[in-house]
Amino acid sequence: KKHGMGFLIILALCLGAGTSIAQPPEGAKKEEPKEDEGDPTFLYRFSQFLIPKPDVAFKKPNIREPGPDSANFPNSPYTLPKGMAYFETTPSVAGKGSSNPRTYSTPTLIRYGLTDDVELRLFTNSLTVESEPNRAGFSPIVFDVKIHFWDENKDLFLPAVGMEILLQSTFGSSFLNTGVQPSMNLLFSKDLVWDTVLEASVGLQSGDIGLNSGDGYEMTVQGDLTTKVTERISLFVQTAYNGSVDPRFANNILVGGGGLLNLTETITIYGSYNASVVKNLPPYFTQLGIAFAF
């Protein structure tokens, strides 16, 4: 009995020591959150207030996924995660054509993830200056929504698909006002070999949905090939028929290229030079911009 009692005492002491080791002492450093976790932002809380969905996890602002839309002509079919926002501003110059003045503008795009698959957008060419005659004004505001339908299916070789619907308003300077003009575009994205992505968009827009007025609807087509050179640098070539998805410039057919540089997780700079293949229209269109994620 004495031996049995001693064995029970030793066993109890061992179990107590094991429990003490398993439980960290009070005041010990807590486990650090994962890299993609953090304190939810005000914008994320606001989106949850508008459309409550507890199973949607907060994602830290990231400018690389899905990336800025203003860098090239077609827009990505991917939308911002719920509660994330982008601010993209892109000072641009369009060369003087036989019937078009040289134009300086500052296209600005604000994006907000209402849900993981619905993105609210506000676009304007903002301050716009035309030479000959010399005049300046504020370009109309464009109300925009982008919807992500599905991701890429690599097994069936199907691209990611989305849709963008725009409505250009009359809120702008009189000489830049071309009336209420709608536009609708289907957006596609497909991963190729060697870290290359093909993006394209096809749509209908009100005639001359830029700086000129027009009647009826016309087809627009945009496309680009983007290759990741390093984790920070990407290069692309692109083309546009009848303008970009967002009405950044008057109707034209352009071919060009450019690049992106990711400065941080939340800041990207980009630029491109594009030449016209149509006589009498602005001979070139160049831009240099910056995008922020927050």
Side-chain angles (χ1 to χ4, degrees), residues 161-230:
V161 179
M163 174 181 284
E164 189 170 359
I165 302 172
L166 307 91
L167 183 67
Q168 181 172 286
S169 71
T170 58
F171 304 136
S173 300
S174 58
F175 77 95
L176 296 172
N177 187 354
T178 55
V180 177
Q181 296 183 329
S183 176
M184 182 176 66
N185 299 270
L186 287 174
L187 314 173
F188 307 93
S189 177
K190 182 74 179 72
D191 289 341
L192 304 177
V193 295
W194 304 316
D195 286 330
T196 300
V197 178
L198 170 64
E199 289 184 340
S201 57
V202 180
L204 293 174
Q205 67 182 19
S206 178
D208 294 333
I209 188 172
L211 302 178
N212 303 311
S213 60
D215 297 320
Y217 289 85
E218 58 190 11
M219 177 180 290
T220 64
V221 180
Q222 303 83 28
D224 82 270
L225 280 171
T226 301
T227 299
K228 182 187 291 185
V229 180
T230 69

Side-chain angles (χ1 to χ4, degrees), residues 14-229:
C14 290
L15 291 174
T19 304
S20 299
I21 294 173
Q23 295 178 351
E26 186 176 352
K29 186 177 180 181
K30 295 181 180 179
E31 184 180 353
E32 294 293 332
K34 296 180 181 179
E35 186 176 351
D36 59 347
E37 295 178 350
D39 294 330
T41 62
F42 167 78
L43 292 175
Y44 176 78
R45 293 191 182 98
F46 182 66
S47 65
Q48 286 284 49
F49 170 76
L50 294 176
I51 305 178
K53 197 169 183 182
D55 58 334
V56 175
F58 167 72
K59 295 182 181 178
K60 292 175 61 177
N62 188 341
I63 199 64
R64 304 185 186 188
E65 296 293 340
D69 273 346
S70 301
N72 44 34
F73 293 150
N75 289 343
S76 167
Y78 294 102
T79 51
L80 297 184
K82 184 173 185 177
M84 190 180 298
Y86 278 12
F87 177 83
E88 307 173 19
T89 184
T90 316
S92 307
V93 180
K96 182 182 183 303
S98 60
S99 58
N100 300 86
R102 180 178 287 104
T103 303
Y104 305 88
S105 60
T106 50
T108 300
L109 175 64
I110 300 174
R111 308 166 57 186
Y112 177 64
L114 183 63
T115 72
D116 282 345
D117 295 315
V118 178
E119 179 181 304
L120 302 182
R121 302 155 64 94
L122 201 64
F123 173 81
T124 176
N125 275 326
S126 191
L127 178 63
T128 301
V129 179
E130 293 183 352
S131 61
E132 302 175 9
N134 294 322
R135 55 185 182 178
F138 194 88
S139 293
I141 296 175
V142 179
F143 299 96
D144 184 358
V145 61
K146 182 162 69 168
I147 303 170
H148 175 68
F149 289 149
W150 62 76
D151 293 340
E152 176 183 355
N153 188 322
K154 295 185 178 181
D155 294 334
L156 299 178
F157 205 73
L158 295 176
V161 179
M163 174 181 284
E164 189 170 359
I165 302 172
L166 307 91
L167 183 67
Q168 181 172 286
S169 71
T170 58
F171 304 136
S173 300
S174 58
F175 77 95
L176 296 172
N177 187 354
T178 55
V180 177
Q181 296 183 329
S183 176
M184 182 176 66
N185 299 270
L186 287 174
L187 314 173
F188 307 93
S189 177
K190 182 74 179 72
D191 289 341
L192 304 177
V193 295
W194 304 316
D195 286 330
T196 300
V197 178
L198 170 64
E199 289 184 340
S201 57
V202 180
L204 293 174
Q205 67 182 19
S206 178
D208 294 333
I209 188 172
L211 302 178
N212 303 311
S213 60
D215 297 320
Y217 289 85
E218 58 190 11
M219 177 180 290
T220 64
V221 180
Q222 303 83 28
D224 82 270
L225 280 171
T226 301
T227 299
K228 182 187 291 185
V229 180

